[in-house]
């Protein structure tokens, strides 16, 4: 981008336009995953929807590449584009709660912690992730699952409306009554269709929840997984528990004698009667005595931010995911092999339940096409040292490839890396062609392609 073009962009926009010559450039191009190192020609920090419209028009008319950054948590780093322009929504970080309507409007640059905090003041929440620094936008557009999914569905299932800037620079609202095809696509179709400048969500009565953390020695993985695979699908919707392979971190609530030990475990969330928390979690003794078990009431935002300090921004990340409708004995063999060989202290494997309320939504109601999945799995190689980047990546890829025959053949788009177009298509099953047709309507030239890309259908 030449100086004249850069100055013209600065004149056109209210928010700052940051170039490689500016002292804040290197800081402003940082994203959650430090394994990604791209240098945009400019980073545009949009202050409002009008700024986003102007930025889209300017980038398109000047033939530049575009990327969109919300919370910056994209594993493949889709919020940055080499030599193009990143539209950074971080200044648009706000939440407005209507406690009477049990709804919230959320700015496109907001993080989950912003929504959790604002809604919690009214004893309300919506299903959304397990790390509070995750961007609301990326999570929602990919579908979104977390601690409340078995009780209240996906994040996208609770989306009421979205304000969207399209590739032609126009501004539209998508909902059940306006631009219904776009609204359908936004609920799971990723960032393919436009830039969402605000979201409206349905909220639910969630205040203090029961939290549990249970870990067993890693050599108990087979017994724990056998019990867990049978227990979760028949558990009440009020109980959510994601399974993990992990190295116990050196800090509370874990006792010092298990710090640094490889373990398998479950992180629990109970939205039922808190007086029944201990009774409900007494089942953790069934696969064998745990090495550690903790249970306590906790404000919901505290649960959703519980891992923030453990995995701050700036680590090396490489992740991939699978959907599972069952946990086979063969899959257990793979989990045991790679759980015993976690390459670094922060590398993990998680199985998140996506059954319960999420599974009872009509499969054709949204773009999310795996309503018959029971778990959404993610394998993540993580470490602060760039020297270990290749090692954690190879561990993740090998683990993922060995699990592939035991999976449903696809995974959650927010847990995908830089993978093939066939993998993207598989993640949408029979919905892909409908999504491609909607893409042709709203973005016929594939302007928004820095994503798990759905290519526009050809005109006939």
């Amino acid at each position: 981008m030449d100086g004249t073009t850069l100055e013209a962009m600065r004149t056109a926009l209210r928010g700052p336009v940051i170039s490689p010559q500016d002292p804040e450039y290197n800081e402003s191009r940082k994203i959650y995953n430090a394994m990604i190192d791209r240098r945009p020609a400019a980073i545009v920090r949009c202050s409002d929807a009008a700024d986003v419209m102007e930025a889209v028009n300017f980038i398109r008319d000047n033939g530049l590449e575009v990327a969109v950054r919300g919370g910056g948590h994209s594993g493949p780093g889709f919020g940055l584009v080499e030599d193009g322009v990143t539209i950074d929504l971080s200044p648009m970080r706000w939440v407005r709660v209507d406690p009477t309507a049990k709804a919230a409007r959320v700015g496109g640059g907001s993080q989950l912690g912003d929504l959790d905090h604002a809604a919690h003041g009214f004893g309300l929440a919506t299903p959304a992730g397990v790390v509070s620094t995750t961007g609301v936008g990326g999570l929602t557009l990919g579908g979104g699952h977390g601690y409340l999914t078995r009780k209240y569905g996906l994040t996208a299932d609770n989306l009421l409306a979205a304000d969207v800037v399209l590739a032609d620079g126009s501004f539209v609202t998508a909902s059940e009554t306006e631009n219904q095809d776009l609204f359908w696509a936004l609920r799971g179709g990723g960032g393919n269709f436009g830039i969402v400048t605000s979201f409206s969500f349905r909220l639910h009565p969630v205040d203090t929840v029961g939290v549990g953390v249970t870990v067993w020695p890693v050599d108990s993985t087979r017994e724990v997984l056998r019990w867990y695979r049978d227990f979760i699908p028949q558990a009440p919707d009020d109980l959510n528990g994601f399974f993990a392979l992990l190295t116990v971190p050196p800090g509370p609530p874990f006792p010092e004698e298990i710090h640094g030990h490889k373990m398998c475990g479950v992180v629990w969330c109970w939205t039922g009667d808190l007086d029944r928390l201990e009774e409900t979690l007494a089942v953790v003794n069934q696969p064998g005595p745990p090495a550690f078990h903790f249970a306590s009431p906790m404000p919901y935002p505290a649960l959703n931010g519980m891992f923030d300090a453990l995995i701050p921004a700036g680590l090396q990340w490489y992740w991939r995911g699978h959907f599972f409708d069952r946990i086979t004995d063969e899959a257990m063999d793979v989990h045991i092999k790679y759980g015993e060989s976690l390459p670094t202290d922060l590398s993990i494997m998680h199985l998140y339940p996506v059954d319960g309320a999420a599974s009872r939504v009509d499969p054709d109601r949204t773009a999310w096409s795996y309503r018959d999945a029971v778990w959404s799995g993610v394998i993540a190689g993580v470490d602060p040292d760039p020297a270990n980047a290749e090692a954690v990546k190879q561990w993740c890829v090998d683990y993922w490839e060995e699990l592939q025959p035991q999976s449903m053949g696809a995974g959650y788009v927010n847990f995908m890396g830089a993978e093939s177009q066939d993998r993207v298509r598989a993640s949408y099953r029979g919905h892909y062609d409908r999504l491609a047709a909607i893409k042709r309507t709203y973005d016929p030239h594939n302007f928004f392609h820095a994503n798990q890309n759905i290519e526009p259908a050809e005109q006939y």
Side-chain angles (χ1 to χ4, degrees), residues 218-365:
V218 73
D219 58 13
S220 300
T221 298
R222 187 180 305 278
E223 291 77 16
V224 175
L225 268 177
R226 277 180 176 158
W227 164 76
Y228 175 79
R229 71 178 178 185
D230 296 332
F231 174 71
I232 281 293
Q234 56 81 41
D237 290 356
D238 278 315
L239 185 64
N240 193 302
F242 74 80
F243 178 86
L245 292 168
L246 74 156
T247 302
V248 175
F254 300 106
E256 188 174 350
E257 59 265 25
I258 64 170
H259 290 176
H261 288 234
K262 291 180 173 61
M263 297 270 179
C264 64
V266 180
V267 178
W268 305 100
C269 176
W270 169 249
T271 52
D273 182 353
L274 291 175
D275 290 337
R276 295 183 53 216
L277 175 61
E278 294 288 347
E279 169 196 342
T280 301
L281 293 185
V283 295
V284 300
N285 292 295
Q286 292 182 8
F292 172 77
H293 174 68
F294 162 85
S296 176
M298 187 179 292
Y300 176 70
L303 169 61
N304 230 10
M306 195 162 64
F307 301 117
D308 291 2
L310 186 63
I311 46 173
L315 301 175
Q316 305 286 309
W317 280 83
Y318 189 86
W319 63 27
R320 289 192 180 186
H322 286 300
F323 285 127
F324 301 94
D325 57 0
R326 59 182 61 87
I327 299 172
T328 64
D329 290 346
E330 292 81 2
M332 288 183 199
D333 293 338
V334 179
H335 289 308
I336 292 165
K337 174 181 176 180
Y338 287 92
E340 291 176 343
S341 62
L342 293 165
T344 61
D345 287 349
L346 292 175
S347 296
I348 51 92
M349 190 285 301
H350 289 174
L351 293 171
Y352 296 100
V354 289
D355 61 333
S359 68
R360 294 191 287 271
V361 175
D362 186 327
D364 292 328
R365 183 170 175 78

Side-chain angles (χ1 to χ4, degrees), residues 94-163:
W94 51 265
V95 180
R96 306 284 185 271
V97 174
D98 182 339
T100 303
K102 290 185 172 59
R105 287 194 67 202
V106 182
S110 301
Q111 297 180 358
L112 301 190
D114 303 324
L115 174 56
D116 289 341
H117 174 78
H120 184 69
F122 302 96
L124 300 169
T126 204
V130 299
V131 176
S132 76
T133 57
T134 306
V136 170
L139 181 104
T140 303
L141 296 174
H145 54 64
Y147 294 112
L148 302 179
T149 293
R150 299 192 74 242
K151 179 69 172 177
Y152 294 120
L154 304 174
T155 311
D157 295 335
N158 291 276
L159 185 65
L160 299 173
D163 291 335

Side-chain angles (χ1 to χ4, degrees), residues 73-102:
H73 268 240
S74 165
F78 287 139
L80 295 177
V81 58
E82 191 74 27
D83 294 328
V85 180
T86 285
I87 294 179
D88 183 355
L89 304 179
S90 59
M92 301 171 64
R93 192 171 166 180
W94 51 265
V95 180
R96 306 284 185 271
V97 174
D98 182 339
T100 303
K102 290 185 172 59

